[in-house]
Every structure is written in C-alpha cells, then in structure tokens.
C-alpha cells in the first residue's frame, strides 16, 4: 500500500476512534447530569444508569497506549499508560467487582465521572476535528485550561472510590487491599507528572503565540505523522 494511502487509512481510523469515544463520553455525561437533576442526592440508581457505559468506554481508551506504541499518534506511551492505568483500575478493580452503595452510589463516583466525561468530551472532539483540519478555538482553550480544575476533581473522586473499596478488597484478601493502598500512594507523583505535562503543553500551544497552529493544538494525538514532541 502506498504511504499516502496508509496515512489516510490511519487518519480515518483515528477520526472514527475519537468520534466514537466522544459519543460514548457524551452519553455518560448527559446521563449523569440528568440523573443528578432528577434524583438529587439519592444516588442508588446511578450505577445502573451509567456504570457499564463508563466501564466499556473507559476500557476502549486502552487503545491509546497501543496507538502510541505503534507510532500512530505523537503522545508518549508512558503518559498514555499513566492516564489509562488508574482509570482501568477504578472501573475493573472497584466499580465492576464490588456491588456496594459505598462505591456505586457515592459522591466520589459522581465527582469522578463528571470530571472524566467533561475532560474526554473536550479532548476527543478536539482531536477528531483537528484530524479533519478544523480548529475550534473554544475547544482549544478548554482542552488546555479545564485540567486545572478537572484533574484535581477527578483524582479526588478516584481516591474516594478506592478508599471505599478497601474493606471489600480486604474481605477477599489482605494483599488486594495492600495493592489498592499502594496505588493510592502513587497518586501524588503521577498527578504531578500529568499536571506539569499539561501545563507545559498549555504554554506550548496557548502561551506566547497569537495564532497557535492546528498541528500544535493536536500535538499529543491529532496527527498520524511521526514527529517528536
């Protein structure tokens, strides 16, 4: 296959992947907001409404690590792995196995899911449009600004969920509880790495340039070309 056709196929795949991910997270966001508006603080039915959608759409994000390893995108595999690993731990290590109201009907779940879904709706729509050569300045600004609030909010929700899962993990085996505690202890350095990475990206894309290029706006996923960050 000719190189140009190969690149076209990769870009078409990435557009489809990002568009599908946006749709999935938009569904989660709308359903979560509607549930909270309808039921207020009564979160007993929240997981039944969004739980498996969150699990499936977040599991799909594991492909981002594969994309990085194959060179389909320009984001680093380590950064992608750090972002995806903790979320997979949350969905498969707490939400899925433990049918408990402390986990599935908690404020931590609401905080976590809202932070995730808002972040991903902006991120995936920004990437998909960037691949199509469309620059939406509002999305560009939100992509590199909302993380200031949403990263700490999401981490707070994740830690609340992990904390609530500890007694249930201990009932299975003390080693599982220790494993969750070890992951909780790793949050500060990982958050610092991701936070400083996004601050650097924000300065690179928004800071000191009156007209940031679309290629810069999509530096960590948007292009199928192999260039260094």
């Amino acid at each position: 296959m000719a190189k140009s056709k190969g690149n076209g196929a990769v870009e078409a795949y990435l557009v489809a992947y990002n568009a599908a991910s946006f749709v999935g997270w938009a569904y989660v966001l709308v359903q979560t907001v509607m549930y909270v508006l309808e039921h207020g603080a009564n979160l007993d039915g929240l997981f039944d409404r969004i739980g498996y959608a969150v699990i499936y759409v977040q599991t799909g994000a594991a492909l981002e690590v594969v994309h990085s390893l194959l060179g389909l995108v320009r984001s680093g595999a380590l950064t992608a792995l750090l972002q995806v690993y903790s979320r997979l731990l949350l969905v498969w290590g707490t939400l899925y196995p433990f049918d408990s109201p402390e986990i599935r009907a908690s404020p931590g779940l609401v905080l976590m899911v809202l932070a995730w879904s808002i972040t991903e709706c902006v991120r995936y729509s920004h990437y998909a449009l960037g691949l199509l050569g469309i620059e939406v300045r509002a999305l560009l600004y939100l992509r590199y600004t909302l993380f200031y609030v949403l990263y700490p909010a999401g981490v707070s929700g994740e830690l609340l969920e992990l904390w609530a899962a500890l007694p249930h993990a201990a009932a299975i085996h003390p080693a599982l509880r220790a494993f969750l505690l070890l992951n909780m202890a790793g949050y500060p350095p990982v958050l610092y790495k991701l936070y400083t990475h996004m601050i650097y990206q924000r300065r690179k894309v928004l800071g000191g340039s009156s007209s940031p290029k679309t290629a810069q706006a999509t530096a960590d996923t948007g292009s199928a070309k192999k260039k260094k960050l």
Side-chain angles (χ1 to χ4, degrees), residues 61-200:
L63 287 172
E64 295 185 21
V65 180
V66 178
H67 297 164
S68 296
L69 291 173
L70 294 178
L72 303 184
V73 298
R74 294 186 295 178
S75 58
L78 178 59
T79 300
L81 179 62
L82 289 175
Q83 291 173 325
V84 170
Y85 168 76
S86 64
R87 293 191 181 187
L88 291 180
L89 175 64
L90 263 296
V91 297
W92 290 108
T94 61
L95 284 178
Y96 180 78
F98 300 132
D99 184 5
S100 166
E102 293 87 359
I103 298 171
R104 294 186 173 185
S106 69
L109 176 61
V110 176
L111 186 61
M112 180 180 77
V113 169
L114 286 177
W116 287 5
S117 56
I118 294 171
T119 297
E120 303 300 31
C121 282
V122 171
R123 187 167 71 97
Y124 284 120
S125 60
H126 172 62
Y127 292 162
L129 291 173
L131 284 163
L132 296 172
I134 302 171
E135 180 181 346
V136 179
R137 295 301 297 272
L139 281 177
L140 178 64
Y141 180 80
L142 292 173
R143 167 74 182 110
Y144 294 101
T145 303
L146 287 178
F147 76 92
Y148 280 118
V149 175
L150 294 180
Y151 270 29
V155 165
S156 297
E158 291 175 33
L159 289 174
L160 287 172
E161 288 293 281
L162 289 170
W163 181 261
L166 291 178
H168 304 280
I172 296 174
H173 198 283
L176 181 56
R177 181 180 183 274
F179 173 71
L180 294 183
L181 281 172
L182 181 63
N183 279 272
M184 292 175 70
Y187 264 74
V190 171
L191 176 61
Y192 174 78
K193 178 175 177 58
L194 295 178
Y195 211 69
T196 53
H197 170 75
M198 285 302 299
I199 291 173
Y200 170 77

